[in-house]
Amino acid sequence: MATSRNHRPATRASRGIPEATVARLPLYLRALTALSERSVPTVSSEELAAAAGVNSAKLRKDFSYLGSYGTRGVGYDVEYLVYQISRELGLTQDWPVVIVGIGNLGAALANYGGFASRGFRVASLIDADSALTGRTVAGIPVEHSDELEKIIAENGVSIGVIATPAGAAQQVCDRLVAAGVTSILNFAPTVLSVPEGVDVRKVDLSIELQILAFHEQRKAGEEAPLEETAPPAAPPAAAVTKRPDSGPDGDVPAVMPA
Amino acid sequence: MATSRNHRPATRASRGIPEATVARLPLYLRALTALSERSVPTVSSEELAAAAGVNSAKLRKDFSYLGSYGTRGVGYDVEYLVYQISRELGLTQDWPVVIVGIGNLGAALANYGGFASRGFRVASLIDADSALTGRTVAGIPVEHSDELEKIIAENGVSIGVIATPAGAAQQVCDRLVAAGVTSILNFAPTVLSVPEGVDVRKVDLSIELQILAFHEQRKAGEEAPLEETAPPAAPPAAAVTKRPDSGPDGDVPAVMPA
């Protein structure tokens, strides 16, 4: 990555935003929303970076893709930046979503306030269990999965959330895609196959816990006895001494316009 | 970042792993575990990078911090890499965790298979509602929050998961920390204050959805009429034209040893 580019994006330079920047925008938005709720009018890049858990130079670079630069000595206008990031992410539109699989997780997601506040409207809750049909979760009646295609079509749903058991997820995914859904958020503990043009993101609830464990291990110190399990048989040949190809450092590729 | 360094980490070069690499290790582990379950013995950096959603040059660099380089023409040994990453993350140890707040989300987390398979053992489920005390969720009896301090001490718990409503989260957090918990995974929609030395990670279930919305917006094309909400009043002065400081590109700082 170049350290000081002269590129100066237009007011809305959304085409070439790197994927890594896209992934950080929700983190900034979360921190900015917290400031907004406390009626904080402006924020410095350092404060915001700390709140979002990001390096401040990286934050400034990310915001340069949005054409947002702040004012020296004043910082960024919180409300306007919330608007800019929301617009960039597409959150100023209304996104109807369906949640398929209304067990504990599906019900928790239906009740989750963080969706509605981000422009996501739960258009329907869908479950294969007839016993749930007609019951209300978070004020929304559960519909039977026989109706899935009809629900997608009538509500113009392009984003589906899968919270079924692993065994049912691929079939649900196939039906959602056939019905016109082009983005899938997968909470089921399985890998989904989708055709070209469909985006899948998988949520692994243990990932943040793994990062905490890394730091806990460090805090505990290397002196403490580690209860490590034995490594698998003999260290295989694949584990030895080849220098990595010294290719380019590998930024995440830029998001290409559709 | 330099593109081709000569640094050649020792077999276990864990001290200076950049935080961004730490954050990607669980993604590799998830992809590797899927391969392992299909009994795939080796994987190329390109295949693994694609499965983890990461650029392959970045993957090779990340693995170089683990001292793991693969074999040209063969790739990485899946089982050994699972072991290396698990060890690095501290997942070969047993981590007892408590989950506080056993609503839909807490119950979903208690049932979540992905914790146990990563070395996290749910030592206790805790709720303030006496009506839940003694009920069993995922085979674990719910205990009353009056017992929180005792449970933490008896089980040697250092990681707490908060799945309470927002209003209760800070108080629960304070009690967990006072009882000796040093890592908090927060699902409650609020920002927690903790003393120095305590790590908090917040899970925002809408973040992946926001990234999907970004891509949906791109797919829909800029031509389609956007139902955008109006921007806030006048664009404030803070939104205009200052070039960002052209500081260093801002890698996430390396994790320092405790």
Side-chain angles (χ1 to χ4, degrees), chain A residues 60-151:
Chain A
R60 284 190 295 271
K61 178 146 193 176
D62 286 343
F63 286 2
S64 74
Y65 291 112
L66 305 183
S68 194
Y69 298 113
T71 303
R72 189 183 293 277
V74 175
Y76 295 92
D77 182 276
V78 170
E79 292 302 326
Y80 193 69
L81 202 46
V82 164
Y83 168 73
Q84 282 189 298
I85 295 176
S86 297
R87 184 185 59 181
E88 198 58 48
L89 286 169
L91 307 178
T92 50
Q93 299 176 60
D94 170 59
W95 293 105
V97 302
V98 295
I99 301 174
V100 186
I102 312 303
N104 279 315
L105 181 59
L109 295 172
N111 277 295
Y112 185 63
F115 290 161
S117 67
R118 295 287 178 240
F120 300 102
R121 178 171 54 81
V122 179
S124 175
L125 306 178
I126 301 175
D127 200 283
D129 182 357
S130 311
L132 289 178
T133 307
R135 281 207 212 168
T136 299
V137 176
I140 305 164
V142 178
E143 300 181 84
H144 193 271
S145 52
D146 286 350
E147 310 291 318
L148 187 145
E149 288 76 10
K150 181 163 154 280
I151 294 164

Coordinates of all heavy atoms in Angstrom, one line a residue, chain A residues 60-151:
Chain A
R60 N -8.5 7.4 8.7 CA -8.5 8.6 7.8 C -8.4 8.1 6.3 O -9.1 8.7 5.5 CB -7.3 9.5 8.1 CG -7.5 10.3 9.4 CD -6.5 11.4 9.6 NE -5.1 10.8 9.8 CZ -4.6 10.5 11.0 NH1 -5.3 10.7 12.1 NH2 -3.4 10.0 11.1
K61 N -7.7 7.1 6.1 CA -7.6 6.6 4.7 C -8.9 6.0 4.2 O -9.4 6.3 3.1 CB -6.5 5.5 4.6 CG -6.4 4.9 3.2 CD -5.0 4.5 2.9 CE -4.8 4.2 1.4 NZ -3.5 3.9 1.1
D62 N -9.6 5.2 5.1 CA -10.9 4.7 4.8 C -11.9 5.8 4.5 O -12.6 5.7 3.5 CB -11.4 3.9 6.0 CG -10.7 2.5 6.2 OD1 -10.1 2.1 5.2 OD2 -10.9 1.9 7.2
F63 N -11.8 6.9 5.3 CA -12.8 7.9 5.1 C -12.5 8.7 3.8 O -13.4 9.3 3.2 CB -12.8 8.9 6.3 CG -13.5 8.3 7.5 CD1 -14.1 7.0 7.4 CD2 -13.7 9.0 8.7 CE1 -14.7 6.4 8.5 CE2 -14.4 8.4 9.7 CZ -14.9 7.2 9.7
S64 N -11.2 8.7 3.4 CA -10.9 9.4 2.2 C -11.6 8.8 1.0 O -12.0 9.4 0.0 CB -9.4 9.4 1.9 OG -8.9 8.2 1.5
Y65 N -11.9 7.5 1.1 CA -12.7 6.8 0.0 C -14.1 7.3 0.0 O -14.8 7.3 -1.1 CB -12.7 5.3 0.2 CG -11.4 4.6 0.0 CD1 -10.7 4.0 1.1 CD2 -10.8 4.5 -1.3 CE1 -9.5 3.4 0.9 CE2 -9.6 3.9 -1.5 CZ -8.9 3.3 -0.4 OH -7.7 2.7 -0.6
L66 N -14.6 7.8 1.1 CA -15.9 8.4 1.1 C -15.9 9.8 0.8 O -17.0 10.5 0.7 CB -16.5 8.2 2.6 CG -16.6 6.8 3.2 CD1 -17.2 6.9 4.6 CD2 -17.3 5.8 2.3
G67 N -14.8 10.4 0.6 CA -14.7 11.8 0.3 C -14.9 12.6 1.6 O -15.3 13.8 1.6
S68 N -14.6 12.0 2.7 CA -14.9 12.7 4.0 C -13.6 12.9 4.7 O -12.8 12.0 5.0 CB -15.8 11.8 4.9 OG -16.3 12.5 5.9
Y69 N -13.3 14.2 5.0 CA -11.9 14.5 5.5 C -11.9 15.1 6.9 O -10.8 15.3 7.4 CB -11.2 15.3 4.5 CG -11.0 14.6 3.2 CD1 -11.6 15.0 2.1 CD2 -10.2 13.5 3.2 CE1 -11.4 14.3 0.9 CE2 -10.0 12.8 2.0 CZ -10.6 13.2 0.8 OH -10.4 12.5 -0.3
G70 N -13.0 15.5 7.4 CA -13.0 16.2 8.7 C -12.3 17.6 8.6 O -11.9 18.0 7.5
T71 N -12.4 18.3 9.7 CA -11.8 19.6 9.7 C -10.7 19.7 10.8 O -11.0 19.2 11.9 CB -12.9 20.7 10.0 OG1 -13.9 20.6 9.1 CG2 -12.3 22.1 10.0
R72 N -9.5 20.2 10.4 CA -8.5 20.2 11.4 C -8.9 21.0 12.6 O -9.4 22.0 12.6 CB -7.2 20.9 10.8 CG -6.0 20.7 11.6 CD -4.8 21.4 11.0 NE -4.3 20.8 9.8 CZ -3.5 19.7 9.7 NH1 -3.1 19.2 10.8 NH2 -3.1 19.3 8.6
G73 N -8.6 20.4 13.8 CA -9.0 21.0 15.1 C -10.4 20.9 15.5 O -10.8 21.2 16.6
V74 N -11.2 20.3 14.6 CA -12.7 20.2 14.9 C -13.0 18.7 14.8 O -13.7 18.1 15.6 CB -13.5 21.0 13.9 CG1 -15.0 20.7 14.1 CG2 -13.3 22.5 14.0
G75 N -12.5 18.0 13.8 CA -12.8 16.6 13.6 C -13.9 16.4 12.6 O -14.2 17.3 11.8
Y76 N -14.6 15.3 12.8 CA -15.7 14.9 11.9 C -17.0 15.2 12.5 O -17.2 15.1 13.7 CB -15.6 13.4 11.6 CG -14.4 12.9 10.9 CD1 -13.3 12.5 11.5 CD2 -14.4 12.9 9.5 CE1 -12.1 12.1 10.8 CE2 -13.3 12.5 8.8 CZ -12.1 12.1 9.5 OH -11.0 11.7 8.8
D77 N -17.9 15.7 11.7 CA -19.3 15.9 12.1 C -20.0 14.5 12.2 O -20.1 13.8 11.2 CB -20.0 16.7 11.1 CG -21.4 17.0 11.5 OD1 -22.3 16.2 11.2 OD2 -21.7 18.1 12.1
V78 N -20.4 14.2 13.4 CA -20.9 12.8 13.7 C -22.1 12.5 12.9 O -22.2 11.5 12.2 CB -21.2 12.7 15.2 CG1 -22.0 11.4 15.5 CG2 -19.9 12.7 16.0
E79 N -23.1 13.4 12.9 CA -24.4 13.1 12.2 C -24.1 12.9 10.7 O -24.7 12.0 10.0 CB -25.4 14.2 12.4 CG -26.0 14.2 13.8 CD -26.6 12.9 14.3 OE1 -27.2 12.2 13.4 OE2 -26.4 12.6 15.4
Y80 N -23.3 13.8 10.1 CA -23.1 13.7 8.7 C -22.4 12.5 8.3 O -22.6 11.8 7.3 CB -22.4 15.0 8.2 CG -22.4 15.1 6.7 CD1 -23.6 15.4 6.0 CD2 -21.3 14.9 5.9 CE1 -23.7 15.4 4.6 CE2 -21.4 15.0 4.5 CZ -22.6 15.2 3.9 OH -22.6 15.3 2.5
L81 N -21.4 12.1 9.1 CA -20.6 10.9 8.9 C -21.5 9.6 9.0 O -21.4 8.7 8.2 CB -19.5 10.8 9.8 CG -18.2 10.0 9.4 CD1 -17.8 10.2 8.0 CD2 -17.1 10.3 10.4
V82 N -22.4 9.6 9.9 CA -23.4 8.5 10.0 C -24.2 8.4 8.7 O -24.4 7.3 8.2 CB -24.4 8.8 11.2 CG1 -25.6 7.8 11.1 CG2 -23.7 8.5 12.6
Y83 N -24.6 9.6 8.2 CA -25.4 9.6 7.0 C -24.5 9.1 5.8 O -24.9 8.2 5.0 CB -25.9 11.0 6.7 CG -26.4 11.1 5.3 CD1 -27.6 10.5 4.9 CD2 -25.7 11.8 4.3 CE1 -28.1 10.6 3.6 CE2 -26.2 11.8 3.0 CZ -27.4 11.2 2.7 OH -27.8 11.3 1.4
Q84 N -23.3 9.6 5.7 CA -22.4 9.2 4.6 C -22.1 7.7 4.6 O -22.2 7.0 3.6 CB -21.1 9.9 4.7 CG -21.1 11.3 4.2 CD -19.7 11.9 4.2 OE1 -19.0 11.9 5.2 NE2 -19.2 12.3 3.0
I85 N -21.8 7.2 5.8 CA -21.5 5.7 5.8 C -22.7 4.9 5.6 O -22.7 3.9 4.8 CB -20.8 5.4 7.2 CG1 -19.5 6.1 7.3 CG2 -20.7 3.9 7.3 CD1 -18.8 5.9 8.7
S86 N -23.8 5.3 6.1 CA -25.1 4.6 5.9 C -25.4 4.6 4.4 O -25.8 3.5 3.9 CB -26.2 5.2 6.7 OG -26.0 5.2 8.1
R87 N -25.3 5.7 3.8 CA -25.6 5.8 2.4 C -24.6 4.8 1.6 O -25.0 4.1 0.7 CB -25.4 7.2 1.9 CG -25.8 7.4 0.4 CD -25.6 8.8 0.0 NE -24.1 9.1 0.1 CZ -23.6 10.3 -0.2 NH1 -24.3 11.2 -0.6 NH2 -22.3 10.5 -0.1
E88 N -23.3 4.9 1.9 CA -22.4 4.1 1.3 C -22.7 2.6 1.4 O -22.5 1.8 0.4 CB -21.0 4.4 1.8 CG -19.8 4.0 1.0 CD -19.9 4.6 -0.4 OE1 -20.1 5.9 -0.4 OE2 -19.7 3.9 -1.4
L89 N -23.1 2.2 2.6 CA -23.4 0.8 2.8 C -24.8 0.4 2.2 O -25.1 -0.8 2.2 CB -23.4 0.5 4.3 CG -22.0 0.4 4.9 CD1 -22.1 0.4 6.4 CD2 -21.2 -0.8 4.4
G90 N -25.5 1.4 1.8 CA -26.9 1.1 1.3 C -27.9 1.0 2.3 O -29.0 0.5 2.1
L91 N -27.6 1.5 3.5 CA -28.5 1.4 4.6 C -29.6 2.4 4.7 O -30.5 2.4 5.5 CB -27.8 1.4 6.0 CG -26.6 0.3 6.0 CD1 -25.9 0.5 7.4 CD2 -27.1 -1.1 5.8
T92 N -29.5 3.4 3.8 CA -30.6 4.4 3.7 C -31.7 3.9 2.9 O -32.8 4.5 2.8 CB -30.0 5.7 3.1 OG1 -29.4 5.5 1.9 CG2 -29.1 6.4 4.1
Q93 N -31.5 2.7 2.3 CA -32.6 2.1 1.6 C -33.3 1.1 2.7 O -32.8 0.8 3.7 CB -32.2 1.2 0.5 CG -31.5 2.0 -0.6 CD -31.0 1.1 -1.7 OE1 -31.7 0.3 -2.4 NE2 -29.7 1.1 -1.9
D94 N -34.5 0.7 2.3 CA -35.2 -0.3 3.1 C -34.9 -1.7 2.6 O -35.1 -2.0 1.4 CB -36.7 0.0 3.0 CG -37.5 -1.1 3.7 OD1 -37.4 -1.3 4.9 OD2 -38.4 -1.7 3.0
W95 N -34.3 -2.5 3.4 CA -34.0 -3.9 3.0 C -34.9 -4.9 3.7 O -34.7 -5.2 4.9 CB -32.5 -4.2 3.3 CG -31.5 -3.4 2.6 CD1 -30.8 -2.4 3.1 CD2 -31.1 -3.6 1.2 NE1 -29.9 -1.9 2.1 CE2 -30.1 -2.7 1.0 CE3 -31.5 -4.5 0.2 CZ2 -29.5 -2.6 -0.3 CZ3 -30.9 -4.4 -1.0 CH2 -29.9 -3.4 -1.3
P96 N -35.9 -5.4 3.0 CA -36.7 -6.5 3.6 C -35.9 -7.8 3.7 O -35.3 -8.1 2.7 CB -37.9 -6.6 2.7 CG -37.5 -6.1 1.4 CD -36.3 -5.1 1.6
V97 N -35.9 -8.4 4.8 CA -35.2 -9.7 5.0 C -36.1 -10.7 5.5 O -37.1 -10.4 6.2 CB -33.9 -9.6 5.9 CG1 -33.0 -8.5 5.4 CG2 -34.3 -9.3 7.4
V98 N -35.9 -12.0 5.2 CA -36.6 -13.1 5.8 C -35.6 -13.8 6.7 O -34.4 -13.9 6.4 CB -37.3 -14.0 4.8 CG1 -38.3 -13.3 4.0 CG2 -36.2 -14.7 3.9
I99 N -36.1 -14.4 7.8 CA -35.3 -15.2 8.7 C -36.0 -16.6 8.6 O -37.2 -16.8 8.8 CB -35.3 -14.7 10.1 CG1 -34.8 -13.3 10.2 CG2 -34.6 -15.7 11.0 CD1 -34.8 -12.7 11.6
V100 N -35.2 -17.6 8.2 CA -35.7 -18.9 8.1 C -35.1 -19.8 9.2 O -33.9 -19.9 9.3 CB -35.3 -19.6 6.7 CG1 -36.0 -20.9 6.5 CG2 -35.7 -18.6 5.5
G101 N -36.0 -20.4 9.9 CA -35.5 -21.2 11.1 C -35.7 -20.5 12.4 O -34.9 -19.6 12.7
I102 N -36.9 -20.7 13.0 CA -37.2 -19.9 14.2 C -37.1 -20.7 15.5 O -38.0 -20.9 16.2 CB -38.6 -19.2 14.0 CG1 -38.8 -18.6 12.6 CG2 -38.9 -18.2 15.1 CD1 -37.7 -17.5 12.3
G103 N -35.9 -21.2 15.7 CA -35.5 -21.8 17.0 C -35.1 -20.6 17.9 O -35.4 -19.5 17.7
N104 N -34.3 -20.9 18.9 CA -33.8 -19.9 19.8 C -33.0 -18.8 19.0 O -33.2 -17.6 19.3 CB -32.8 -20.5 20.8 CG -33.6 -21.1 22.0 OD1 -34.5 -20.6 22.5 ND2 -33.2 -22.3 22.4
L105 N -32.2 -19.2 18.1 CA -31.4 -18.3 17.4 C -32.2 -17.4 16.5 O -32.1 -16.2 16.5 CB -30.3 -19.0 16.6 CG -29.3 -18.0 15.8 CD1 -28.6 -17.1 16.8 CD2 -28.3 -18.8 15.0
G106 N -33.1 -18.0 15.7 CA -34.0 -17.3 14.8 C -34.8 -16.3 15.6 O -35.0 -15.1 15.2
A107 N -35.3 -16.7 16.8 CA -36.1 -15.8 17.6 C -35.3 -14.7 18.2 O -35.7 -13.5 18.2 CB -36.8 -16.6 18.8
A108 N -34.0 -15.0 18.5 CA -33.1 -14.0 19.0 C -32.9 -13.0 17.9 O -32.9 -11.7 18.2 CB -31.8 -14.6 19.5
L109 N -32.7 -13.4 16.7 CA -32.4 -12.5 15.6 C -33.7 -11.7 15.3 O -33.6 -10.5 15.0 CB -32.0 -13.3 14.3 CG -30.7 -14.0 14.4 CD1 -30.5 -14.9 13.2 CD2 -29.6 -13.0 14.6
A110 N -34.9 -12.3 15.4 CA -36.1 -11.5 15.2 C -36.3 -10.4 16.2 O -36.8 -9.3 15.9 CB -37.3 -12.5 15.2
N111 N -35.8 -10.7 17.4 CA -35.9 -9.7 18.5 C -34.8 -8.7 18.5 O -34.8 -7.7 19.3 CB -35.9 -10.4 19.8 CG -37.3 -10.9 20.2 OD1 -38.2 -10.1 20.4 ND2 -37.5 -12.3 20.2
Y112 N -33.8 -8.9 17.6 CA -32.6 -8.1 17.7 C -32.8 -6.7 17.1 O -33.1 -6.5 16.0 CB -31.5 -8.8 16.9 CG -30.2 -8.2 16.9 CD1 -29.5 -8.1 18.1 CD2 -29.6 -7.7 15.8 CE1 -28.2 -7.6 18.2 CE2 -28.3 -7.1 15.8 CZ -27.6 -7.1 17.0 OH -26.4 -6.5 17.1
G113 N -32.7 -5.7 18.0 CA -33.0 -4.3 17.6 C -32.0 -3.8 16.6 O -32.3 -2.9 15.9
G114 N -30.8 -4.4 16.6 CA -29.8 -3.9 15.7 C -30.1 -4.0 14.2 O -29.4 -3.3 13.4
F115 N -31.0 -4.8 13.8 CA -31.4 -4.9 12.4 C -32.2 -3.7 12.0 O -31.8 -3.0 11.0 CB -32.1 -6.2 12.1 CG -31.3 -7.4 12.2 CD1 -31.9 -8.7 12.4 CD2 -29.9 -7.4 12.2 CE1 -31.1 -9.8 12.5 CE2 -29.2 -8.5 12.3 CZ -29.8 -9.8 12.4
A116 N -33.3 -3.5 12.7 CA -34.2 -2.4 12.3 C -33.5 -1.1 12.3 O -33.7 -0.3 11.3 CB -35.4 -2.3 13.3
S117 N -32.6 -0.8 13.2 CA -31.9 0.5 13.3 C -30.9 0.7 12.1 O -30.4 1.7 11.9 CB -31.2 0.6 14.6 OG -30.2 -0.3 14.7
R118 N -30.7 -0.4 11.4 CA -29.7 -0.3 10.3 C -30.4 -0.4 8.9 O -29.8 -0.7 7.9 CB -28.7 -1.5 10.4 CG -27.8 -1.3 11.6 CD -26.8 -0.2 11.4 NE -26.0 -0.1 12.5 CZ -25.9 1.1 13.2 NH1 -26.6 2.1 12.8 NH2 -25.1 1.2 14.2
G119 N -31.8 -0.3 8.9 CA -32.5 -0.3 7.6 C -32.9 -1.7 7.2 O -33.5 -1.9 6.1
F120 N -32.7 -2.7 8.1 CA -33.2 -4.1 7.8 C -34.6 -4.3 8.4 O -34.7 -4.2 9.6 CB -32.2 -5.1 8.2 CG -30.9 -4.9 7.6 CD1 -29.8 -4.3 8.3 CD2 -30.6 -5.3 6.3 CE1 -28.6 -4.2 7.7 CE2 -29.4 -5.2 5.7 CZ -28.4 -4.6 6.4
R121 N -35.5 -4.6 7.6 CA -36.9 -4.9 8.1 C -37.2 -6.3 8.0 O -37.0 -6.9 6.9 CB -37.9 -4.0 7.3 CG -39.3 -4.2 7.6 CD -40.2 -3.2 6.9 NE -40.0 -3.3 5.4 CZ -40.6 -4.2 4.6 NH1 -41.4 -5.1 5.1 NH2 -40.3 -4.1 3.3
V122 N -37.5 -7.0 9.1 CA -37.8 -8.4 9.0 C -39.2 -8.5 8.4 O -40.2 -8.2 9.0 CB -37.8 -9.0 10.4 CG1 -38.1 -10.5 10.3 CG2 -36.4 -8.9 11.0
A123 N -39.2 -8.9 7.1 CA -40.5 -9.0 6.4 C -41.2 -10.3 6.8 O -42.5 -10.3 6.7 CB -40.2 -9.0 4.9
S124 N -40.5 -11.3 7.1 CA -41.2 -12.6 7.5 C -40.3 -13.5 8.2 O -39.1 -13.5 8.1 CB -41.6 -13.3 6.2 OG -42.2 -14.5 6.4
L125 N -40.9 -14.3 9.1 CA -40.2 -15.4 9.8 C -40.8 -16.7 9.3 O -42.0 -16.8 9.2 CB -40.5 -15.3 11.3 CG -40.2 -14.0 12.0 CD1 -40.6 -14.0 13.5 CD2 -38.7 -13.6 11.8
I126 N -39.9 -17.6 8.9 CA -40.3 -18.8 8.2 C -39.8 -20.0 9.0 O -38.6 -20.0 9.3 CB -39.8 -18.8 6.8 CG1 -40.4 -17.5 6.0 CG2 -40.2 -20.1 6.0 CD1 -39.8 -17.4 4.6
D127 N -40.6 -21.0 9.2 CA -40.1 -22.2 9.8 C -40.8 -23.4 9.2 O -42.0 -23.3 8.8 CB -40.3 -22.2 11.3 CG -39.5 -23.2 12.0 OD1 -39.8 -24.4 12.0 OD2 -38.4 -22.8 12.6
A128 N -40.2 -24.6 9.2 CA -40.7 -25.8 8.6 C -41.7 -26.5 9.5 O -42.4 -27.4 9.1 CB -39.6 -26.7 8.2
D129 N -41.7 -26.1 10.8 CA -42.5 -26.7 11.8 C -43.9 -26.1 11.8 O -44.1 -25.0 12.2 CB -41.8 -26.6 13.2 CG -42.6 -27.3 14.3 OD1 -43.7 -27.8 14.0 OD2 -42.1 -27.3 15.4
S130 N -44.9 -26.9 11.4 CA -46.3 -26.4 11.4 C -46.7 -25.9 12.7 O -47.6 -25.0 12.8 CB -47.2 -27.5 10.9 OG -46.7 -28.1 9.7
A131 N -46.2 -26.5 13.8 CA -46.6 -26.1 15.1 C -46.3 -24.7 15.4 O -47.0 -24.1 16.3 CB -46.0 -27.1 16.2
L132 N -45.3 -24.1 14.7 CA -45.0 -22.7 15.0 C -45.8 -21.7 14.1 O -45.9 -20.5 14.4 CB -43.5 -22.5 14.6 CG -42.5 -23.1 15.6 CD1 -41.1 -22.8 15.1 CD2 -42.6 -22.5 17.0
T133 N -46.4 -22.3 13.0 CA -47.1 -21.4 12.1 C -48.2 -20.6 12.8 O -49.0 -21.1 13.5 CB -47.7 -22.2 10.9 OG1 -46.7 -23.0 10.4 CG2 -48.3 -21.3 9.9
G134 N -48.1 -19.3 12.6 CA -49.1 -18.4 13.2 C -48.7 -17.9 14.6 O -49.2 -16.8 15.0
R135 N -47.7 -18.5 15.2 CA -47.2 -17.9 16.5 C -46.5 -16.6 16.2 O -46.0 -16.4 15.1 CB -46.3 -18.9 17.1 CG -47.0 -20.0 17.9 CD -46.1 -20.5 19.0 NE -46.3 -21.9 19.2 CZ -45.6 -22.7 19.9 NH1 -44.5 -22.2 20.6 NH2 -45.8 -24.0 20.1
T136 N -46.5 -15.8 17.2 CA -45.9 -14.5 16.9 C -44.5 -14.4 17.7 O -44.5 -14.7 18.9 CB -46.8 -13.4 17.4 OG1 -48.0 -13.5 16.7 CG2 -46.3 -12.0 17.2
V137 N -43.5 -14.0 17.0 CA -42.2 -13.7 17.6 C -41.8 -12.3 17.3 O -41.8 -11.9 16.1 CB -41.1 -14.7 17.1 CG1 -39.8 -14.4 17.6 CG2 -41.5 -16.1 17.4
A138 N -41.5 -11.5 18.3 CA -41.2 -10.1 18.1 C -42.3 -9.4 17.3 O -42.0 -8.5 16.5 CB -39.8 -10.0 17.4
G139 N -43.5 -9.8 17.5 CA -44.6 -9.1 16.9 C -44.9 -9.6 15.4 O -45.7 -9.0 14.7
I140 N -44.1 -10.5 15.0 CA -44.2 -11.0 13.6 C -44.7 -12.4 13.6 O -44.1 -13.3 14.2 CB -42.8 -10.9 12.9 CG1 -42.3 -9.5 13.0 CG2 -42.9 -11.3 11.4 CD1 -40.8 -9.4 12.7
P141 N -45.8 -12.7 12.8 CA -46.2 -14.1 12.8 C -45.3 -15.0 12.0 O -44.7 -14.6 11.0 CB -47.6 -14.0 12.0 CG -47.5 -12.8 11.3 CD -46.6 -11.8 12.0
V142 N -45.1 -16.2 12.5 CA -44.3 -17.2 11.8 C -45.1 -17.8 10.7 O -46.2 -18.2 10.9 CB -43.8 -18.3 12.8 CG1 -42.9 -19.4 12.1 CG2 -43.0 -17.7 13.9
E143 N -44.5 -17.9 9.5 CA -45.1 -18.5 8.3 C -44.5 -19.9 8.0 O -43.3 -20.1 8.3 CB -45.1 -17.6 7.2 CG -45.8 -16.2 7.5 CD -45.8 -15.3 6.3 OE1 -46.7 -15.4 5.4 OE2 -44.9 -14.4 6.3
H144 N -45.2 -20.7 7.4 CA -44.7 -22.1 7.0 C -43.8 -22.0 5.8 O -44.0 -21.2 4.9 CB -45.9 -23.0 6.8 CG -45.4 -24.5 6.8 ND1 -44.9 -25.1 5.7 CD2 -45.2 -25.3 7.8 CE1 -44.6 -26.3 6.0 NE2 -44.7 -26.5 7.3
S145 N -42.8 -22.9 5.8 CA -41.8 -22.8 4.8 C -42.4 -23.2 3.4 O -41.8 -22.9 2.4 CB -40.6 -23.7 5.1 OG -41.0 -25.0 5.5
D146 N -43.6 -23.8 3.4 CA -44.2 -24.1 2.1 C -44.5 -22.7 1.4 O -44.6 -22.7 0.1 CB -45.6 -24.8 2.3 CG -45.4 -26.2 2.7 OD1 -44.3 -26.7 2.6 OD2 -46.4 -26.9 3.1
E147 N -44.6 -21.7 2.1 CA -44.9 -20.4 1.5 C -43.7 -19.6 1.1 O -43.8 -18.4 0.7 CB -45.7 -19.5 2.6 CG -46.9 -20.2 3.2 CD -48.0 -20.4 2.2 OE1 -48.3 -19.5 1.4 OE2 -48.6 -21.5 2.2
L148 N -42.5 -20.2 1.3 CA -41.3 -19.4 1.2 C -41.2 -18.6 -0.2 O -40.9 -17.4 -0.2 CB -40.1 -20.4 1.3 CG -38.7 -19.8 1.3 CD1 -37.8 -20.6 2.3 CD2 -38.0 -19.7 0.0
E149 N -41.4 -19.3 -1.3 CA -41.3 -18.6 -2.6 C -42.3 -17.5 -2.7 O -41.9 -16.4 -3.2 CB -41.5 -19.7 -3.7 CG -40.4 -20.7 -3.9 CD -40.4 -21.8 -2.8 OE1 -41.3 -21.9 -2.1 OE2 -39.4 -22.5 -2.8
K150 N -43.5 -17.7 -2.2 CA -44.5 -16.7 -2.3 C -44.1 -15.4 -1.5 O -44.2 -14.3 -1.9 CB -45.8 -17.3 -1.8 CG -47.0 -16.4 -1.8 CD -48.3 -17.2 -1.7 CE -49.5 -16.4 -1.1 NZ -49.3 -16.3 0.4
I151 N -43.6 -15.7 -0.3 CA -43.2 -14.6 0.6 C -42.1 -13.8 0.0 O -42.1 -12.5 0.0 CB -42.7 -15.2 2.0 CG1 -43.9 -15.9 2.7 CG2 -42.1 -14.1 2.9 CD1 -43.5 -16.8 3.8

